[in-house]
Amino acid sequence: MNFLAHLYLSKNNKNILIGNFIADAVKGKKHENYPKEIQSGILLHRAIDYFTDTHPIARKSKRRLHERYDHYDGVIIDILYDHYLAKNWRHYSEIPLDIYANSVYTFFQANIGIFPAKIQKLLPYMIEYNWLVSYASLEGIEKVLIGMNKRTKGVSKMDMAIGDLVQHYEEFESDFTVFFKDLIQFTEEKTIILLSK
């Protein structure tokens, strides 16, 4: 899953939220350098990624993309699934997405000192371009995909995936809706386990 889903699945625990957000920049056992609940957030992020990668519905989504994008299919699905979460946000949260996003940005700015350098550099761009809210529109997702393609120096061809999204829009949305219900349940159970250790 991409940024919005990881943040949403952290629920109201601010330390889990931090861990979940910085996890991709914390490799190996370096999570042990952080306070206990932030460690739990990092481990939760890894568990969410594994659950997503191995879930039959997410795999079905990836199969629509695999021939063209090869191993980038999973990265693309993470981004597309965030689109459906943002677009259907009112079904998952009583807090409007723009208000939720602004509260997250404010919280992260106040705690940026404990973020890894890579995340400290990323945060200003995330806020300036309002990534979390932009995911709700096709234009926003297209910009993300173009940016990701540039990061791979054009090898991934991810900029073309907006066409696949439009072509299979209903199928991807159906996949997401079923998958995300399972992911929410998994995350709730996994969070309890991690915080009890």
Side-chain angles (χ1 to χ4, degrees):
M1 300 305 291
N2 205 41
F3 287 116
L4 183 60
H6 278 291
L7 299 177
Y8 171 80
L9 292 166
S10 301
K11 297 302 181 185
N12 297 319
N13 187 309
K14 297 297 189 184
N15 287 322
I16 293 284
L17 186 76
I18 289 173
N20 219 334
F21 180 59
I22 68 173
D24 281 337
V26 181
K27 306 300 182 185
K29 292 190 174 183
K30 289 185 178 178
H31 67 280
E32 295 175 356
N33 297 331
Y34 290 89
K36 184 70 178 70
E37 283 195 348
I38 293 179
Q39 287 185 40
S40 294
I42 294 168
L43 295 175
L44 180 63
H45 181 110
R46 295 175 183 177
I48 289 168
D49 283 354
Y50 182 79
F51 182 87
T52 302
D53 289 343
T54 57
H55 195 284
I57 298 290
R59 284 183 165 180
K60 183 171 82 167
S61 289
K62 287 191 283 189
R63 280 196 295 273
R64 294 192 193 99
L65 304 173
H66 185 74
E67 186 174 348
R68 176 180 281 180
Y69 305 102
D70 196 30
H71 63 277
Y72 293 103
D73 56 3
V75 179
I76 296 169
I77 289 302
D78 285 348
I79 293 167
L80 302 192
Y81 277 9
D82 253 18
H83 165 66
Y84 292 111
L85 175 56
K87 175 200 164 197
N88 298 300
W89 182 260
R90 66 189 182 283
H91 299 308
Y92 298 101
S93 176
E94 295 178 358
I95 304 169
L97 181 56
D98 58 336
I99 294 173
Y100 173 82
N102 284 330
S103 69
V104 167
Y105 298 150
T106 300
F107 174 69
F108 283 166
Q109 283 177 309
N111 291 276
I112 195 169
I114 63 172
F115 292 175
K118 180 180 177 182
I119 304 298
Q120 289 185 15
K121 291 176 183 176
L122 175 147
L123 184 61
Y125 294 101
M126 184 181 200
I127 295 170
E128 180 180 355
Y129 296 104
N130 200 3
W131 289 357
L132 300 180
V133 174
S134 75
Y135 293 153
S137 70
L138 290 177
E139 294 80 9
I141 286 297
E142 185 173 21
K143 286 179 182 176
V144 173
L145 292 167
I146 289 170
M148 293 296 290
N149 185 57
K150 287 178 180 175
R151 283 177 59 185
T152 68
K153 296 180 168 53
V155 174
S156 68
K157 301 179 183 176
M158 287 171 64
D159 57 316
M160 298 170 62
I162 190 69
D164 297 274
L165 172 59
V166 171
Q167 182 180 352
H168 300 287
Y169 197 86
E170 289 78 16
E171 296 100 310
F172 282 131
E173 185 161 25
S174 177
D175 289 353
F176 167 77
T177 303
V178 175
F179 164 76
F180 202 61
K181 182 179 179 182
D182 289 351
L183 181 59
I184 289 171
Q185 181 178 345
F186 167 79
T187 304
E188 288 173 351
E189 294 169 358
K190 188 68 176 179
T191 301
I192 292 169
I193 293 168
L194 286 168
L195 289 175
S196 67
K197 289 182 177 179

